[in-house]
Amino acid sequence: MCGIAGFFSRQPVAAATADAMLLELARRGPDAAHQLRLDQQGQVAADDAIHNALLHARLSIIDPRPEADQPMRNDDGQLWICYNGEVYDWEDGKRELEQAGVVFRTHSDTEFILRAYEAWGIDGLLTRLRGMFAFAILDLRQGKVHLARDRMGEKPLLYALLDGNLAFGSLVRSVLPFLPLPARQFSPAAIDAYLAHRYIPAPATVFENIQRLENGYCLEFDLASRQLKKRRYWQPQATAGDWLPELDHAVAMRTVADRPLGVLLSGGIDSTLIASRLATQGYQQFSTFTAAFPGSTLDESIDAADSAQRMGLSNIRIDMPENLAADFSRIVADLDQPFADPSSFPTWYLAREVSKHVKVVLVGDGGDELLAGYKRMNKHLRTRWRRHLQLPLGIRPSLDGKQGKLGTELAMSWTEAYSLRFSGMTPGQRRYLQGGRELQQLSYWRAPDDIGPEASDAVPGLQSLLAIDFANYLPDYILQKSDLCTMAHGLEGRAPLLDHGLYQHLLATPDAERYTQPAKLIFRRAMHPALPADFFQRKKRGFNPPLSGWLKTSLAERFAGLGSRLSRQTDNLLDATAVDAFAQAYRGGKEALAEQMLQLLILDESLTQLDALRRALP
């Protein structure tokens, strides 16, 4: 797990630019930092002749020796890798290479990826990788650069292509220093997308000239022609067989580490499932960690502690702070660009405290997306009667978003309207905040690459919703939050439920087993036998912080001047008077606006930070 960045430029790039890009990755990789700087011919470059660079900040988990640091080269120096992530179960591939005469210098997965590419090429490599990854491979023999992101989207990869010059990085902020000042404009469409969804869906980012690579995609950059090609390299295929052994294998392979390991445990099904399989397989040595919200009805720490005790696992309770004023700016910075999941804040605090005990944690991300666990899916499926009905209705500006709710849905296609089940601002609120101007798009969620055969649906339309979540909500919301909040503290999160082998086995299960009421009953036989019999009937509570209390105390001073700041930062996309009226309505008693109010405060802080960064020269 690390932070990566780099560039491939026609013109010389200042050494200070490379330094600035690497500096932005420091929190992701606290253990080592290195640069590879090359000239146009691929030779080590002087400071005034840098055309190509690979930059790496390392969090050392496997083989922490300096020999395994990056960027890493092959024997003749014609292949280089810069890699972030963790791949598993690669030992058989290593033995195959060794039998062919390949000599390994380290025990790291980084070297396996490099040697596998050298032997089998990019396609042969990608089919053999199991886990989470974002990497850049510089192939000086072929004059190519290969960039790839893992199948599920656990690891981020951002890039910019300008005038035949390519830059990439783990963060928007690590790519930004490469861009010339005139190319650092904010994207009005991305800001509107953030208002709509609380985040900016791929491939867009808050900057016009920086893109986010979609999960399961790879890029090929030709150093001679300066052409960039993008393609999807993976489509899931249903795999027959019992999913439980595959789950146990997915869990076991993620316990391999040369640093201390633990488990994030809530009171919910998914994390408890991971802990159950650990306990069943005899991994009792790992501690579990639980976030606690003292005094809140949403606190799950007592249930989590009880589950841990029943399974024979130790549990460490971590109380969430009630005041976040001192950390708000730091948390927003660690979220990289505008991102407004309220649970990011407790996730960030939990990761900070857990990192004092361990450097690797198993997490329960992915169960809801695999097994239709979200209530919003059933809610939207109740409107499937109008799947082929769409009316050209107008959407009026609305401060509270309640006006014309049915009309808003009918103005969108049925699948597009699914975004309203999980949204930040309604289309009416977005129009209100933008001074009444017409919206260019109602939703910015990207269409899935493959919806799948509707004929096999247990419930018509469900496959469409799952595919939308797989392309949007899972990689760009759930996993983006998990990556950014853990890596901000040098903590590696591993998600067994997102193992693509397990996923493909679940795809082959009959719909009646996979989609149940209550959700995830398929996991009952995998749960520890000591857990309560009513475990699956418990109400899903989520990971929700005391938001109203924060807005009225920790964040109260941020309301002053909010409208004028957001108007200025968005080049008048947002109307100052409308923003201030929105804030006044919330403070006047409209508690239902709390999440949207936090969204505006995060946008203000994030754009203020990014505006300062984009105006700064390295």
Side-chain angles (χ1 to χ4, degrees):
M1 294 287 276
C2 309
I4 63 173
F7 54 80
F8 309 94
S9 174
R10 286 171 164 165
Q11 301 82 29
V13 177
T17 297
D19 293 340
M21 295 172 71
L22 183 57
L23 183 62
E24 291 294 336
L25 302 171
R27 288 170 66 83
R28 295 181 67 90
D31 297 327
H34 299 287
Q35 300 186 30
L36 169 69
R37 298 175 175 183
L38 302 177
D39 62 18
Q40 280 182 303
Q41 287 72 44
Q43 303 299 312
V44 175
D47 284 354
D48 60 352
I50 304 169
H51 285 257
N52 308 293
L54 295 178
L55 315 169
H56 193 268
R58 186 182 185 197
L59 172 62
S60 54
I61 301 297
I62 301 294
D63 195 349
R65 299 174 304 157
E67 290 89 337
D69 285 354
Q70 301 179 48
M72 184 182 288
R73 50 165 280 181
N74 73 336
D75 295 333
D76 65 9
Q78 293 300 293
L79 298 178
W80 290 87
I81 185 171
C82 193
Y83 154 61
N84 167 37
E86 205 73 65
V87 297
Y88 317 102
D89 216 21
W90 48 270
E91 290 77 10
D92 286 345
K94 178 183 178 182
R95 283 190 286 270
E96 183 179 347
L97 291 170
E98 287 177 327
Q99 289 171 3
V102 176
V103 177
F104 282 76
R105 300 189 303 267
T106 73
H107 307 295
S108 71
D109 53 337
T110 305
E111 186 176 9
F112 170 73
I113 296 173
L114 181 64
R115 302 290 188 180
Y117 171 80
E118 186 173 23
W120 300 314
I122 188 64
D123 291 328
L125 165 66
L126 289 170
T127 59
R128 287 170 166 85
L129 295 185
R130 187 169 185 172
M132 53 185 178
F133 54 85
F135 64 73
I137 292 178
L138 171 60
D139 188 337
L140 294 171
R141 305 169 308 179
Q142 298 183 7
K144 306 277 189 184
V145 178
H146 297 281
L147 299 162
R149 188 178 180 207
D150 65 71
R151 297 168 181 83
M152 300 297 185
E154 294 182 75
K155 293 291 103 185
L157 189 57
L158 293 300
Y159 67 98
L161 181 67
L162 279 175
D163 301 323
N165 301 317
L166 176 69
F168 70 91
S170 297
L171 303 172
V172 165
R173 296 175 187 227
S174 67
V175 177
L176 184 62
F178 180 81
L179 300 183
L181 289 178
R184 299 180 183 181
Q185 324 85 301
F186 289 140
S187 165
I191 293 172
D192 185 45
Y194 167 80
L195 295 178
H197 303 296
R198 302 187 197 171
Y199 71 103
I200 302 168
T205 74
V206 72
F207 289 101
E208 290 277 10
N209 291 301
I210 301 177
Q211 292 187 289
R212 182 178 177 89
L213 186 63
E214 301 92 331
N215 54 306
Y217 275 77
C218 61
L219 301 170
E220 180 183 283
F221 183 63
D222 190 300
L223 292 168
S225 70
R226 318 304 291 185
Q227 296 298 305
L228 184 68
K229 297 178 182 178
K230 181 169 77 171
R231 64 182 174 91
R232 178 158 187 164
Y233 66 84
W234 179 72
Q235 288 283 6
Q237 302 293 325
T239 304
D242 188 358
W243 57 266
L244 184 52
E246 201 70 18
L247 171 60
D248 283 343
H249 187 46
V251 171
M253 71 175 72
R254 284 166 175 79
T255 63
V256 178
D258 293 326
R259 304 289 292 275
L261 184 144
V263 185
L264 298 188
L265 181 65
S266 70
I269 294 172
D270 298 337
S271 63
T272 306
L273 173 68
I274 302 305
S276 290
R277 301 321 299 167
L278 283 170
T280 300
Q281 294 182 69
Y283 293 105
Q284 249 87 19
Q285 73 271 29
F286 299 134
S287 296
T288 64
F289 300 88
T290 301
F293 300 92
S296 170
T297 58
L298 299 174
D299 182 32
E300 295 183 329
S301 61
I302 295 176
D303 288 342
D306 177 67
S307 294
Q309 183 180 25
R310 289 170 180 264
M311 292 184 285
L313 301 171
S314 65
N315 180 253
I316 298 175
R317 167 188 166 127
I318 297 175
D319 288 347
M320 295 293 101
E322 296 182 7
N323 191 317
L324 53 69
D327 299 312
F328 185 78
S329 295
R330 179 69 260 169
I331 295 172
V332 170
D334 286 335
L335 294 174
D336 193 30
Q337 60 174 333
F339 187 87
D341 181 352
S343 69
S344 296
F345 294 89
T347 302
W348 187 91
Y349 281 116
L350 179 62
R352 185 183 69 179
E353 296 308 308
V354 170
S355 69
K356 298 174 183 177
H357 299 267
V358 299
K359 288 301 175 185
V360 182
V361 286
L362 302 192
V363 300
D365 291 342
D368 289 304
E369 290 77 17
L370 300 179
L371 301 174
Y374 292 117
K375 293 179 181 178
R376 64 172 180 266
M377 291 182 174
N378 288 330
K379 186 175 182 180
H380 197 62
L381 288 169
R382 288 198 291 268
T383 69
R384 64 181 177 272
W385 56 267
R386 70 100 177 169
R387 289 176 67 188
H388 304 293
L389 174 64
Q390 184 175 357
L391 301 176
L393 302 176
I395 295 174
R396 293 177 295 163
S398 170
L399 187 151
D400 61 12
K402 295 180 180 179
Q403 296 182 25
K405 188 174 181 180
L406 178 60
T408 298
E409 281 205 40
L410 291 175
M412 308 168 76
S413 70
W414 184 75
T415 52
E416 188 179 37
Y418 178 50
S419 66
L420 298 177
R421 306 298 175 193
F422 178 83
S423 63
M425 309 286 182
T426 68
Q429 288 173 316
R430 287 155 55 199
R431 284 202 66 191
Y432 178 84
L433 290 169
Q434 295 176 48
R437 61 167 57 91
E438 293 288 342
L439 301 177
Q440 298 302 306
Q441 291 181 229
L442 295 179
S443 170
Y444 291 86
W445 278 1
R446 69 181 179 93
D449 298 284
D450 181 21
I451 294 258
E454 290 285 359
S456 70
D457 266 2
V459 180
L462 180 58
Q463 293 293 347
S464 298
L465 305 188
L466 286 165
I468 291 169
D469 273 3
F470 185 84
N472 295 277
Y473 183 76
L474 176 62
D476 293 340
Y477 193 78
I478 295 295
L479 298 181
Q480 183 172 195
K481 172 187 67 179
S482 181
D483 172 80
L484 293 173
C485 291
T486 54
M487 291 302 292
H489 303 289
L491 179 68
E492 175 174 300
R494 299 177 176 180
L497 293 180
L498 293 177
D499 183 87
H500 79 275
L502 171 63
Y503 175 51
Q504 293 185 147
H505 274 73
L506 288 172
L507 284 178
T509 59
D511 288 347
E513 294 180 29
R514 189 177 172 198
Y515 311 124
T516 61
Q517 294 296 330
K520 309 177 191 175
L521 291 179
I522 191 174
F523 285 154
R524 277 186 300 191
R525 70 184 178 102
M527 288 296 192
H528 196 282
L531 291 171
D534 67 347
F535 188 84
F536 284 85
Q537 278 67 46
R538 290 178 177 176
K539 183 178 179 181
K540 185 180 178 69
R541 283 179 284 186
F543 194 46
N544 299 303
L547 184 53
S548 292
W550 286 349
L551 290 169
K552 293 172 183 176
T553 56
S554 302
L555 305 177
E557 63 181 21
R558 292 178 172 271
F559 284 79
L562 180 64
S564 60
R565 290 196 303 275
L566 281 175
S567 178
R568 182 175 64 254
Q569 292 157 356
T570 63
D571 199 18
N572 298 318
L573 176 68
L574 297 188
D575 180 78
T577 300
V579 170
D580 286 336
F582 193 95
Q584 185 58 41
Y586 168 72
R587 302 186 87 176
K590 289 187 177 292
E591 290 288 333
L593 300 179
E595 289 193 2
Q596 290 97 330
M597 200 62 248
L598 176 67
Q599 195 176 355
L600 290 176
L601 294 181
I602 290 173
L603 181 64
D604 173 37
E605 177 62 31
S606 184
L607 292 183
T608 297
Q609 294 179 10
L610 292 170
D611 186 53
L613 289 174
R614 70 173 177 164
R615 295 177 186 277
L617 288 171

